């Protein structure tokens, strides 16, 4: 189904609730699922459905939400007087907008763009009386209808929405519920919202009242149905964890369908923005934070933690590697166990295989960085750069005291502390000369043994 391009659609995202059940100093919609704040998921969905402009309704002291949703507009709802009141706060920001307005919730992050397209299509579909609905509500039939608003439907379409608290026992029997998501013609929305009054069980301005008002005015209302899983709202940390699990299952499936092998997929955690190429293989228990790109044919072995990193084709990372932001792993490069890489580029075929820290550095093509090598990049005040040339061989346990440069093809001896630049093709050694004391160890043991005997 394609959207009706002739009617532009704007969105109002309701996010003024503090979410007291989260028991958090952070506004509810800032809690992340797959490394992205809930409200970020909503914005991504709206973008995919080509819905713009977007106005987000936030509460006072929610600057962090405003920053996160920028450059989208934010308006502040000072007093939380209900969903109808919240939507009205966005009116000035959309006063010149003509078209449809979609109301979405910042704490309902999984609505599929396809479902929004279906709602738009429903706006254009005539009912048996030849009437196109002015309001389309997204409904669903949850296992437990609980406190959800109920959708009262007749042969002529949606008649009204009744909140559970205001419903009669018979109305509460209705299984079709209001997801809260609604699409309406802008002029109709503003017109009907003006009549909403807080004369109900909660004493709130209910957005849902506009459906009954519309029917009284002779306008049409329709329902589009969605899945319970896509319409789940998140109110607590437990629900957040459930949402995370659902979203991870989706991500893993998508990544496998795109041609990657996941070994024990249920143990691998991705971010919403992780990009995984074809014929990538990922071992068990790896975690991908935001901003990771894996090109084709990359291998990530078990137990890696990777964020803000790019891994090029043919590279092998892990087991037990940590790639931090700015790690740029070149073609066919290797990163091995207990290696941490931050803000550093490994050029083609470079190897850092064991127990190393490489930060603020370049490792030239085919260079080999020996076990236990450390780039000492921080002097307590400034971060400095280390440059390792192509084909260089860094001996085990070398400390590279940045800023420092090791030339192409140069070598450092085991345990070297490199404070000055090393010219190309040179060898640098910085340890004292080795002396062997013949027979010393045997004599030492004999003395110690005699001492022990005496004490007895
Ligand atoms: C609302 C619907 C109900 C629906 C349910 C779905 C109304 C009257 N009821 O009920 O029919 O089944 O959602 O989850 O609309 N918000 C504000 N400002 C406010 C009030 C709410 O921004 O003054 C935001 C909240 O942050 C939340 C959303 O609107 O994201 C819904 O508010 P909530 O109080 O949870 O509404 P419900 O009572 O659950
Ligand atoms: Mg709610």
């Amino acid at each position: 189904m394609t959207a009706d391009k002739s009617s532009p659609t704007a969105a109002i995202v309701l996010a003024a609730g503090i979410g007291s059940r989260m028991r958090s100093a952070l506004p509810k919609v800032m809690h992340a699922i797959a490394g992205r704040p809930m409200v970020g998921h909503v914005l991504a969905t709206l973008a995919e459905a080509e819905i713009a402009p977007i106005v987000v309704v936030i509460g006072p002291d929610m600057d962090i939400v405003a920053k996160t949703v920028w450059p989208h507009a934010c308006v502040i709802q000072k007093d939380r007087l209900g969903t109808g009141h919240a939507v009205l706060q966005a009116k000035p920001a959309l006063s010149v907008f003509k078209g449809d307005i979609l109301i979405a919730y910042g704490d309902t992050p999984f609505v599929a763009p396809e479902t929004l397209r279906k709602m738009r299509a429903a706006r254009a579909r005539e009912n048996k009386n030849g009437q196109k609905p002015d309001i389309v509500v997204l409904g669903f039939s949850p296992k437990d209808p609980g406190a959800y608003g109920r959708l009262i439907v007749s042969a002529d379409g949606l008649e009204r929405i009744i909140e559970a608290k205001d419903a009669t026992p018979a109305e509460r029997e209705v299984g079709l519920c209001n997801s809260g998501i609604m699409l309406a013609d802008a002029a109709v929305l503003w017109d009907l919202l003006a009549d909403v009054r807080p004369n109900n069980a909660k004493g709130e301005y209910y957005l849902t009242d506009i459906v009954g008002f519309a029917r009284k005015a002779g306008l049409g209302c329709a329902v589009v149905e969605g899945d319970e899983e896509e319409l789940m709202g998140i109110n607590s940390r437990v629900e957040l964890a459930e949402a995370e699990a659902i979203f991870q299952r989706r991500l893993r499936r998508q990544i496998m369908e795109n041609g990657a092998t996941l070994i024990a997929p249920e143990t691998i955690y991705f971010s919403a923005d992780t990009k995984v190429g074809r014929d990538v293989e990922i071992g068990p228990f790896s975690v991908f934070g935001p901003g990771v790109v894996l090109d084709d044919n990359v291998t990530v072995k078990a137990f890696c933690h990777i964020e803000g990193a790019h891994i090029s084709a043919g590279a092998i990372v892990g087991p037990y590697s940590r790639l931090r932001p700015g790690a740029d792993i070149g073609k066919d490069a290797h990163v091995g166990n207990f290696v941490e890489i931050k803000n550093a580029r490994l050029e083609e075929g470079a190897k850092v295989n064991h127990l190393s820290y490489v930060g603020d550095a370049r490792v030239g093509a085919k260079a080999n960085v020996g076990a236990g090598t450390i780039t000492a990049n921080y002097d307590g005040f400034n971060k400095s750069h280390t440059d390792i040339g192509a084909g260089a061989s860094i001996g085990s346990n070398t400390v590279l005291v940045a800023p420092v440069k090791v030339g192409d093809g140069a070598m450092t001896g085991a345990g070297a502390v490199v404070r000055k630049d090393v010219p190309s093709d040179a060898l640098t050694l910085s340890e004292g000369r080795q002396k062997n004391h013949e027979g010393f160890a045997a004599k030492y043991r004999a003395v110690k043994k005699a001492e022990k005997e005496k004490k007895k």
Side-chain angles (χ1 to χ4, degrees), residues 21 28 105 107 148 235:
R21 282 203 276 154
K28 176 159 81 171
Y105 285 3
D107 62 357
Y148 287 115
N235 299 297

Side-chain angles (χ1 to χ4, degrees), residues 16-17 77 80-83 86 105 107 148-149 163 178-179 202 206:
Q77 183 191 24
R80 207 176 164 284
L81 302 179
T83 49
Y105 285 3
D107 62 357
Y148 287 115
E163 290 305 293
N178 176 27
S179 70
K202 277 184 156 178
Y206 287 171

Side-chain angles (χ1 to χ4, degrees), residues 223-241:
V223 178
V224 161
E225 283 194 59
D227 287 347
E228 179 165 17
E229 207 176 72
E230 74 172 314
L231 296 174
M232 76 180 285
I234 292 158
N235 299 297
S236 67
R237 309 265 185 169
V238 171
E239 286 170 0
L240 185 70

Side-chain angles (χ1 to χ4, degrees), residues 271-438:
S271 283
D273 66 351
T274 309
K275 292 198 171 57
V276 181
R278 292 179 80 160
D279 292 312
V280 165
E281 185 173 310
I282 303 174
F285 297 102
S286 285
V287 176
F288 295 85
V292 174
V293 177
L294 308 184
D295 292 349
D296 294 347
N297 298 303
V298 160
T299 302
V300 175
K301 296 185 176 178
F303 298 105
C304 290
H305 192 282
I306 300 177
E307 57 185 326
H310 171 222
I311 308 179
S312 306
I316 301 175
V317 172
Y320 298 102
S321 304
R322 178 168 185 214
L323 303 186
R324 291 174 50 206
D328 186 3
I329 311 303
K331 250 176 120 239
D332 302 319
H334 291 188
V335 179
N337 43 274
F338 306 107
V339 171
E340 175 180 344
I341 305 217
K342 183 218 75 173
N343 187 31
R345 161 131 184 95
L346 264 57
E347 292 181 347
E348 188 169 341
K351 291 181 183 167
V352 187
N353 270 333
H354 329 270
L355 300 159
S356 289
Y357 172 64
V358 176
D360 304 309
R362 174 188 78 105
V363 180
K366 293 210 159 82
N368 186 75
V369 175
T373 295
I374 302 289
T375 54
N377 60 330
Y378 186 51
D379 58 12
F381 298 93
N382 296 303
K383 298 271 168 70
S384 300
H385 190 260
T386 298
D387 192 79
I388 298 173
S393 174
I394 307 299
S396 295
N397 229 28
T398 295
V399 180
L400 297 152
V401 184
V404 77
K405 233 176 162 162
V406 176
D408 290 352
M411 297 170 78
T412 73
V417 178
V418 182
R419 297 178 189 277
K420 290 190 295 195
D421 289 357
V422 181
S424 294
D425 295 320
L427 165 69
T428 187
L429 300 171
S430 61
E431 81 273 36
R433 195 173 281 276
Q434 181 174 336
K435 287 182 210 146
N436 292 342
H437 300 272
E438 293 286 344

